[in-house]
Amino acid sequence: MEVKKMFLGLVLFAVLPLGAQQNPVYLDKSKSIEERVEDALHRLTLKEKIAMVHAQSKFSSPGVARLGIPDFWMTDGPHGIRPEVLWDEWEQAGWSNDSCVAFPALTCLAATWNPEVSHLYGKSIGEEARFRNKTVLLGPGVNIYRTPLNGRNFEYMGEDPYLASRMVVPYVQGVQQNGVAACVKHFALNNQEVNRHTTNVVVDDRALYEIYLPAFKAAVQEGKAWAIMGSYNLYKGQHCCHNQYLLNDILKGEWGFDGVVISDWGGVHDTDQAITNGLDMEFGSWTNGLSNGASNAYDNYYLALPYLQRIQSGKVGTKELDDKVRRILRLALRTTMNTDRPFGSMLSPEHYKAARRIGEEGIVLLKNKNAVLPIDLSKVKKIAVIGENALKMMTVGGGSSSLKVQHEISPLDGLKERIGNKAEIVYARGYVGDASGEYNGVVTGQNLKDNRSVKELTDEAVKVASEADCVIFIGGLNKSAHQDCEDYDRKGLGLSYGQDELIAALAKANKNLVVVNISGNAVAMPWLAQVPAVLQAWYLGSEAGHALASVLMGDTNPSGKLPFTFPARLEDVGAHQSGEYIGTKSQDVVNEEYNEGIFVGYRWADKQKNVKPLFPFGYGLSYTTFAYSKPAIDKKIMSSDEEVTLTVKVKNTGAREGQEVVQLYISDKQSSLPRPVKELKGFAKVKLAPGEEKEVSFAINKDALSYFDDKKHEWVAEPGKFEAIVAASAADIKGVVPFELK
Ligand code: BGC
């Protein structure tokens, strides 16, 4: 007997590969993720589980060391990998191996209207995150552009739910193919910075489902995002980091999200709600995310000892805890415990190339009278470059998206490098905006102090401008407080620091003036009629100067299109005319009514018959021209289970290669509920050589025709008449085809 048993043991040992006998199920790659999650869950003690649902440092939470489950490391996000910070401080740790490549801000990415570029973005930033051993990238952000005052619009993807949806999916996929989770933020209704902790958003279900949620839904259902971040604000009286409606009912219920809900830093306020209302991981408590609460006692977190005590005293059960821990274990198996994931890379030439390409494709040419652009060096021998943003490093500042870069090419340096000795470049400061250059201990090292008076600065700039063949003014906003920065909204639509007066003076001094506006937001342009050329250049990251010079000089033909409307006045924005925007600070919870409902961005502009935006959504010029054929569809009447195919030909009628973004809007002509005049439901970016023509086709199905019926709580495609509108922007319609849904 004894001998037989031993023999069997020896046989087993010989047949199974070495080590396989010891492999517990949770480490066994041949088992499904769900089996492995269950196995790991049952090995954990109560205290280990509690430890996993809250932070242990500013940006990490514990795994289970005795089981080989690694800690979870979070990083901002969304434009590059944040420098390492001290264990319990926001201050950078001062490592010398944590510089990154800064990619352009997400407004720029959205302006490319190119999902392929978005995948490149996600893949590249994901590789940097992976190489830096991060588990979760805190981004991308897809909060809808509701007001141009929102200080964080630059971190988001514009005003249209369809555009943001199409752009967020490949970003998430690109990040996650590295075995790093994307954490889509800030879920939801975080559309301003003033009162970000105290605004209780009051919004109807139609606007919620049609405008504010689709990009999150696409990220979850199509992008298969592994994490999502709750937002600071409230909805239906509950903070969104523990919000029954948004997290349990919609995200985990209706959408079937199986990933983790991570709180925004300091976004948790209540243990009982945090237990029951869908939160999985608590971070940054007792901070306001940025300036307060440098140091925390992690055991006092809402989901730490207070949670443990409730369980130990029998006040609450462990059902919710197990659900949270299952999700966290799933996260580990998808990321750090996936032994097949790639190794990542950082600071690679490919990442710089990607950053440059995204920048070049996102820059938007807003005006180009008399073909001032591209700059023709056979005629232009002296160029005046004026403005602080020609010099200022823009990767430091703006809040949690601030970075420590390996290098950043300024616009002025980019131009100098590109032009070499083919023309003389003379620089004048013109105005002094924000001379500081520090964020959490990361310093730009630039000394931008200038004590000259406004008159001295203006006189110098005007003199330099009048002596040059052409003038490039580079200004805009700058990521300091109230100038596109987290925790602050802008105070108005206008440019600060006397830039409007300066631009007007420059326009008088030289008729060949190019204004480059660097911002993540629409700005007022009272001088527009006097200025022949205007470029919208976003925060372009490490390769800013190269990307900008390439467009200014015509090496790149601009193909970016605005991802949001530039209103002529703030009063022309729905949130400011019809809805509420509470810009005064409040410590108490304040209701803010989104009375404009579904009419956000161009949906509002379209409704106001007599109000023209400064520049419409979807707008952007090229150095070439395009002609559209009459669009055609393959059937005039469709049923709800059918598709209609629309085709249109686009031809490059100019002398340069260029890219056009063909836009498809749908207009519902007969509907029981109010609908926008038209809504974006398709787009395609086509590259065309001079004289080349291509056919673009769009499939239109019932999703493109549907609205959210708030009474029935479902999407409805109502039979009746529709129009398919082919356009080059929300205000430039190229062709209309009527059709009908049976
Ligand atoms: C921001 C988040 C960010 C987090 C961590 C918060 O203040 O709202 O977007 O990811 O801080 O830095």
Side-chain angles (χ1 to χ4, degrees), residues 210-266:
E210 291 186 25
I211 306 292
Y212 296 101
L213 295 184
F216 289 102
K217 185 180 180 190
V220 165
Q221 293 195 329
E222 295 173 58
K224 307 259 181 267
W226 294 331
I228 206 163
M229 184 187 288
S231 59
Y232 282 140
N233 52 285
L234 301 90
Y235 169 64
K236 293 199 180 184
Q238 282 176 2
H239 279 96
C240 294
C241 288
H242 33 74
N243 190 293
Q244 171 63 28
Y245 315 97
L246 292 173
L247 301 178
N248 281 343
D249 297 348
I250 297 175
L251 176 68
K252 293 181 175 177
E254 291 175 21
W255 301 350
F257 177 66
D258 69 358
V260 289
V261 174
I262 299 176
S263 77
D264 199 346
W265 270 234

Coordinates of all heavy atoms in Angstrom, one line a residue, residues 210-266:
E210 N -27.9 61.3 -24.1 CA -27.6 61.7 -25.5 C -26.3 62.5 -25.6 O -25.5 62.4 -26.6 CB -28.7 62.5 -26.2 CG -29.9 61.7 -26.4 CD -31.0 62.4 -27.2 OE1 -30.7 63.4 -28.0 OE2 -32.2 62.1 -27.1
I211 N -26.0 63.3 -24.6 CA -24.8 64.2 -24.6 C -23.7 63.7 -23.7 O -22.5 63.6 -24.1 CB -25.2 65.6 -24.3 CG1 -26.4 66.1 -25.2 CG2 -24.0 66.6 -24.4 CD1 -26.0 66.2 -26.7
Y212 N -24.0 63.5 -22.4 CA -22.9 63.4 -21.4 C -22.4 62.0 -21.2 O -21.3 61.8 -20.7 CB -23.4 64.0 -20.1 CG -23.6 65.5 -20.3 CD1 -24.9 66.0 -20.4 CD2 -22.5 66.4 -20.4 CE1 -25.1 67.4 -20.6 CE2 -22.7 67.7 -20.6 CZ -24.0 68.3 -20.7 OH -24.2 69.6 -20.9
L213 N -23.2 61.0 -21.6 CA -22.7 59.6 -21.3 C -22.1 58.8 -22.5 O -21.3 57.9 -22.3 CB -23.9 58.7 -20.7 CG -24.4 59.2 -19.4 CD1 -25.4 58.2 -18.9 CD2 -23.3 59.2 -18.3
P214 N -22.5 59.1 -23.8 CA -22.1 58.2 -24.9 C -20.6 57.9 -24.9 O -20.2 56.8 -25.2 CB -22.6 59.0 -26.1 CG -23.7 59.7 -25.7 CD -23.4 60.2 -24.3
A215 N -19.7 58.9 -24.7 CA -18.3 58.6 -24.8 C -17.8 57.7 -23.7 O -17.0 56.8 -24.0 CB -17.5 60.0 -24.8
F216 N -18.4 57.8 -22.6 CA -18.1 56.8 -21.5 C -18.6 55.4 -21.9 O -17.9 54.4 -21.7 CB -18.7 57.2 -20.2 CG -18.0 58.5 -19.6 CD1 -18.6 59.7 -19.6 CD2 -16.8 58.4 -18.9 CE1 -18.1 60.8 -19.1 CE2 -16.2 59.5 -18.4 CZ -16.8 60.7 -18.5
K217 N -19.8 55.4 -22.4 CA -20.3 54.1 -22.8 C -19.5 53.4 -23.9 O -19.2 52.2 -23.8 CB -21.8 54.3 -23.3 CG -22.5 53.0 -23.6 CD -23.9 53.3 -24.1 CE -24.6 52.0 -24.4 NZ -25.9 52.2 -25.1
A218 N -19.1 54.2 -24.9 CA -18.3 53.7 -25.9 C -16.9 53.2 -25.4 O -16.5 52.1 -25.7 CB -18.0 54.7 -27.0
A219 N -16.4 53.9 -24.4 CA -15.1 53.5 -23.9 C -15.2 52.2 -23.1 O -14.3 51.3 -23.2 CB -14.6 54.6 -22.9
V220 N -16.4 52.0 -22.5 CA -16.6 50.8 -21.7 C -17.0 49.6 -22.6 O -16.4 48.6 -22.5 CB -17.7 51.1 -20.6 CG1 -18.2 49.8 -20.1 CG2 -17.2 52.0 -19.5
Q221 N -18.0 49.8 -23.4 CA -18.5 48.7 -24.2 C -17.7 48.4 -25.5 O -17.5 47.2 -25.8 CB -19.9 49.0 -24.6 CG -20.8 49.0 -23.4 CD -22.3 48.9 -23.7 OE1 -22.7 49.4 -24.7 NE2 -23.1 48.3 -22.8
E222 N -17.2 49.4 -26.1 CA -16.4 49.1 -27.3 C -14.9 49.1 -27.0 O -14.1 48.2 -27.5 CB -16.6 50.2 -28.4 CG -18.1 50.1 -28.9 CD -18.3 51.3 -29.9 OE1 -17.6 51.4 -30.9 OE2 -19.2 52.2 -29.6
G223 N -14.4 50.0 -26.2 CA -13.0 50.1 -25.9 C -12.6 49.1 -24.8 O -11.5 48.8 -24.6
K224 N -13.6 48.6 -24.1 CA -13.5 47.6 -23.0 C -12.5 48.1 -21.9 O -11.6 47.5 -21.5 CB -12.9 46.3 -23.5 CG -13.7 45.7 -24.7 CD -14.6 44.6 -24.1 CE -15.5 43.9 -25.2 NZ -16.8 44.5 -25.4
A225 N -12.8 49.4 -21.6 CA -11.9 50.0 -20.5 C -12.0 49.2 -19.2 O -13.0 48.8 -18.8 CB -12.4 51.4 -20.3
W226 N -10.8 49.1 -18.6 CA -10.7 48.3 -17.4 C -10.9 49.1 -16.1 O -11.0 48.6 -15.0 CB -9.3 47.6 -17.3 CG -9.1 46.6 -18.4 CD1 -10.1 45.8 -19.0 CD2 -7.9 46.2 -19.0 NE1 -9.5 45.0 -19.9 CE2 -8.1 45.2 -19.9 CE3 -6.5 46.6 -18.8 CZ2 -7.1 44.6 -20.7 CZ3 -5.5 46.0 -19.5 CH2 -5.8 45.0 -20.5
A227 N -11.0 50.4 -16.3 CA -11.2 51.3 -15.1 C -11.9 52.6 -15.5 O -11.8 53.0 -16.7 CB -9.8 51.6 -14.5
I228 N -12.5 53.1 -14.6 CA -13.2 54.4 -14.8 C -13.1 55.2 -13.5 O -13.0 54.7 -12.4 CB -14.7 54.2 -15.2 CG1 -15.3 55.3 -16.0 CG2 -15.6 53.9 -14.0 CD1 -16.5 54.9 -16.8
M229 N -13.0 56.5 -13.6 CA -12.8 57.4 -12.4 C -14.1 58.2 -12.2 O -14.6 58.8 -13.1 CB -11.7 58.4 -12.6 CG -11.4 59.2 -11.4 SD -10.2 60.5 -11.7 CE -8.7 59.6 -11.9
G230 N -14.6 58.1 -11.0 CA -15.8 58.9 -10.6 C -15.4 60.3 -10.5 O -14.2 60.7 -10.3
S231 N -16.3 61.2 -10.7 CA -16.0 62.6 -10.7 C -16.3 63.3 -9.3 O -16.9 62.7 -8.5 CB -16.8 63.4 -11.8 OG -18.2 63.2 -11.6
Y232 N -15.8 64.5 -9.2 CA -15.9 65.2 -7.9 C -17.3 65.7 -7.6 O -17.7 65.8 -6.4 CB -15.0 66.4 -7.9 CG -13.5 66.1 -7.7 CD1 -12.5 66.8 -8.4 CD2 -13.1 65.2 -6.7 CE1 -11.2 66.6 -8.2 CE2 -11.8 65.0 -6.5 CZ -10.8 65.7 -7.2 OH -9.5 65.5 -7.0
N233 N -18.0 66.1 -8.7 CA -19.3 66.8 -8.5 C -20.4 65.8 -8.0 O -20.2 64.6 -7.9 CB -19.7 67.4 -9.8 CG -19.7 66.4 -10.9 OD1 -18.6 66.0 -11.4 ND2 -20.8 65.9 -11.3
L234 N -21.6 66.3 -7.8 CA -22.7 65.5 -7.4 C -23.7 65.4 -8.5 O -23.8 66.2 -9.4 CB -23.4 66.1 -6.2 CG -22.6 66.3 -4.9 CD1 -22.0 67.7 -4.9 CD2 -23.5 66.1 -3.7
Y235 N -24.5 64.3 -8.5 CA -25.6 64.1 -9.4 C -26.8 63.5 -8.5 O -26.5 62.5 -7.8 CB -25.3 63.2 -10.5 CG -26.4 62.7 -11.4 CD1 -27.2 63.6 -12.1 CD2 -26.7 61.4 -11.4 CE1 -28.3 63.2 -12.9 CE2 -27.8 60.9 -12.2 CZ -28.6 61.9 -12.9 OH -29.6 61.4 -13.7
K236 N -27.9 64.1 -8.6 CA -29.1 63.6 -7.8 C -28.7 63.6 -6.3 O -29.0 62.7 -5.6 CB -29.6 62.3 -8.2 CG -30.2 62.3 -9.6 CD -31.1 61.1 -9.8 CE -31.7 61.2 -11.2 NZ -32.7 60.2 -11.6
G237 N -27.9 64.6 -5.9 CA -27.6 64.8 -4.5 C -26.5 63.8 -4.0 O -26.2 63.9 -2.8
Q238 N -25.9 63.0 -4.8 CA -24.9 62.1 -4.3 C -23.6 62.4 -5.1 O -23.6 62.6 -6.3 CB -25.2 60.6 -4.6 CG -26.2 60.0 -3.7 CD -26.6 58.6 -4.1 OE1 -26.1 58.0 -5.1 NE2 -27.5 58.0 -3.3
H239 N -22.5 62.4 -4.4 CA -21.2 62.6 -5.0 C -21.0 61.4 -6.1 O -21.4 60.3 -5.8 CB -20.0 62.6 -4.0 CG -19.9 63.9 -3.4 ND1 -20.4 64.2 -2.2 CD2 -19.3 65.1 -3.8 CE1 -20.2 65.5 -1.9 NE2 -19.5 66.0 -2.9
C240 N -20.4 61.8 -7.2 CA -20.4 60.8 -8.3 C -19.4 59.7 -8.0 O -19.4 58.7 -8.7 CB -20.0 61.5 -9.6 SG -21.4 62.6 -10.1
C241 N -18.5 59.8 -7.0 CA -17.6 58.7 -6.7 C -18.3 57.6 -6.0 O -17.8 56.5 -5.9 CB -16.4 59.2 -5.9 SG -15.3 60.1 -6.9
H242 N -19.5 57.9 -5.4 CA -20.3 56.8 -4.8 C -21.8 57.2 -5.1 O -22.5 57.6 -4.3 CB -20.1 56.6 -3.4 CG -19.7 57.8 -2.6 ND1 -20.6 58.8 -2.3 CD2 -18.5 58.2 -2.1 CE1 -20.0 59.7 -1.6 NE2 -18.7 59.4 -1.4
N243 N -22.1 56.9 -6.4 CA -23.4 57.4 -6.9 C -24.2 56.2 -7.4 O -23.8 55.6 -8.4 CB -23.1 58.4 -8.0 CG -24.4 59.1 -8.4 OD1 -25.3 58.5 -9.0 ND2 -24.5 60.4 -8.1
Q244 N -25.2 55.9 -6.7 CA -26.1 54.7 -7.1 C -26.5 54.8 -8.5 O -26.5 53.8 -9.2 CB -27.3 54.7 -6.1 CG -28.4 53.7 -6.5 CD -27.9 52.3 -6.4 OE1 -27.0 51.9 -5.6 NE2 -28.5 51.4 -7.2
Y245 N -27.0 55.9 -9.0 CA -27.6 56.0 -10.3 C -26.5 55.8 -11.4 O -26.7 55.0 -12.3 CB -28.2 57.4 -10.5 CG -29.1 57.8 -9.4 CD1 -28.6 58.6 -8.4 CD2 -30.3 57.2 -9.2 CE1 -29.3 58.9 -7.2 CE2 -31.1 57.5 -8.1 CZ -30.6 58.4 -7.1 OH -31.4 58.7 -6.0
L246 N -25.4 56.6 -11.3 CA -24.4 56.5 -12.3 C -23.6 55.2 -12.3 O -23.3 54.6 -13.3 CB -23.4 57.7 -12.2 CG -24.0 59.1 -12.5 CD1 -23.0 60.2 -12.2 CD2 -24.5 59.2 -14.0
L247 N -23.2 54.8 -11.1 CA -22.2 53.7 -11.0 C -22.9 52.3 -11.0 O -22.6 51.4 -11.7 CB -21.3 53.8 -9.7 CG -20.5 55.1 -9.7 CD1 -19.7 55.2 -8.4 CD2 -19.6 55.2 -10.9
N248 N -23.9 52.2 -10.1 CA -24.6 50.9 -10.0 C -25.6 50.7 -11.1 O -25.6 49.7 -11.8 CB -25.2 50.7 -8.7 CG -24.2 50.3 -7.6 OD1 -23.1 49.9 -7.9 ND2 -24.6 50.5 -6.3
D249 N -26.5 51.7 -11.3 CA -27.6 51.5 -12.2 C -27.1 51.5 -13.7 O -27.4 50.6 -14.5 CB -28.7 52.5 -12.0 CG -29.3 52.4 -10.6 OD1 -29.1 51.4 -10.0 OD2 -30.1 53.4 -10.2
I250 N -26.4 52.6 -14.0 CA -26.0 52.7 -15.4 C -24.7 52.0 -15.8 O -24.7 51.1 -16.6 CB -25.9 54.2 -15.8 CG1 -27.2 54.9 -15.6 CG2 -25.4 54.4 -17.2 CD1 -27.2 56.4 -15.8
L251 N -23.6 52.3 -15.1 CA -22.3 51.8 -15.5 C -22.2 50.3 -15.3 O -21.9 49.5 -16.3 CB -21.2 52.5 -14.7 CG -19.8 52.0 -14.9 CD1 -19.3 52.3 -16.3 CD2 -18.8 52.6 -13.9
K252 N -22.5 49.8 -14.1 CA -22.4 48.4 -13.9 C -23.6 47.6 -14.2 O -23.6 46.4 -14.6 CB -22.0 48.2 -12.4 CG -20.6 48.7 -12.0 CD -20.2 48.5 -10.6 CE -18.8 48.9 -10.3 NZ -18.4 48.8 -8.9
G253 N -24.8 48.3 -14.2 CA -26.0 47.6 -14.5 C -26.3 47.6 -16.0 O -26.0 46.7 -16.7
E254 N -26.7 48.8 -16.5 CA -27.1 48.9 -18.0 C -25.9 48.5 -18.9 O -26.1 47.9 -19.9 CB -27.6 50.3 -18.3 CG -28.9 50.6 -17.6 CD -29.4 52.0 -17.9 OE1 -28.9 52.7 -18.8 OE2 -30.2 52.5 -17.1
W255 N -24.7 49.0 -18.6 CA -23.6 48.8 -19.5 C -22.8 47.5 -19.2 O -21.9 47.1 -20.0 CB -22.6 50.0 -19.5 CG -23.3 51.3 -19.8 CD1 -24.5 51.5 -20.4 CD2 -22.7 52.6 -19.7 NE1 -24.8 52.8 -20.6 CE2 -23.7 53.5 -20.2 CE3 -21.5 53.1 -19.2 CZ2 -23.4 54.9 -20.2 CZ3 -21.3 54.4 -19.2 CH2 -22.2 55.3 -19.7
G256 N -23.0 46.9 -18.1 CA -22.3 45.6 -17.8 C -20.8 45.8 -17.5 O -20.0 44.9 -17.8
F257 N -20.4 47.0 -17.0 CA -18.9 47.2 -16.8 C -18.4 46.3 -15.7 O -18.9 46.1 -14.7 CB -18.8 48.7 -16.2 CG -17.4 49.1 -15.9 CD1 -16.4 49.2 -16.8 CD2 -17.1 49.4 -14.5 CE1 -15.1 49.6 -16.5 CE2 -15.8 49.9 -14.2 CZ -14.8 50.0 -15.1
D258 N -17.3 45.6 -16.1 CA -16.7 44.6 -15.1 C -15.3 45.1 -14.6 O -14.6 44.3 -13.9 CB -16.6 43.2 -15.8 CG -15.5 43.2 -16.9 OD1 -14.9 44.2 -17.2 OD2 -15.3 42.1 -17.4
G259 N -15.0 46.3 -14.8 CA -13.7 46.8 -14.3 C -13.9 47.5 -13.0 O -14.8 47.3 -12.2
V260 N -12.9 48.3 -12.6 CA -12.9 49.0 -11.3 C -13.3 50.5 -11.4 O -12.9 51.2 -12.4 CB -11.5 49.0 -10.6 CG1 -11.1 47.6 -10.1 CG2 -10.4 49.5 -11.5
V261 N -14.1 50.9 -10.4 CA -14.4 52.3 -10.3 C -13.4 52.9 -9.3 O -13.3 52.4 -8.1 CB -15.8 52.6 -9.8 CG1 -16.0 54.0 -9.6 CG2 -16.8 52.0 -10.9
I262 N -12.6 53.8 -9.7 CA -11.6 54.5 -8.9 C -12.1 55.8 -8.5 O -12.6 56.5 -9.4 CB -10.3 54.5 -9.7 CG1 -9.8 53.1 -10.0 CG2 -9.2 55.3 -8.9 CD1 -8.5 53.1 -10.9
S263 N -12.0 56.2 -7.3 CA -12.4 57.6 -6.9 C -11.5 58.6 -7.5 O -10.3 58.3 -7.7 CB -12.5 57.8 -5.4 OG -11.2 58.0 -4.9
D264 N -12.0 59.8 -7.8 CA -11.0 60.9 -8.0 C -10.4 61.2 -6.7 O -10.9 60.8 -5.6 CB -11.7 62.1 -8.6 CG -10.7 63.0 -9.3 OD1 -9.5 62.9 -9.1 OD2 -11.1 63.9 -10.0
W265 N -9.3 61.8 -6.7 CA -8.4 62.0 -5.5 C -9.1 63.0 -4.5 O -9.2 64.2 -4.7 CB -7.1 62.5 -5.9 CG -6.1 61.4 -6.1 CD1 -4.8 61.3 -5.5 CD2 -6.2 60.3 -7.0 NE1 -4.2 60.1 -6.0 CE2 -5.0 59.5 -6.9 CE3 -7.2 59.8 -7.8 CZ2 -4.8 58.3 -7.5 CZ3 -7.0 58.6 -8.5 CH2 -5.8 57.9 -8.4
G266 N -9.7 62.4 -3.5 CA -10.4 63.2 -2.5 C -11.9 63.3 -2.9 O -12.6 64.2 -2.4

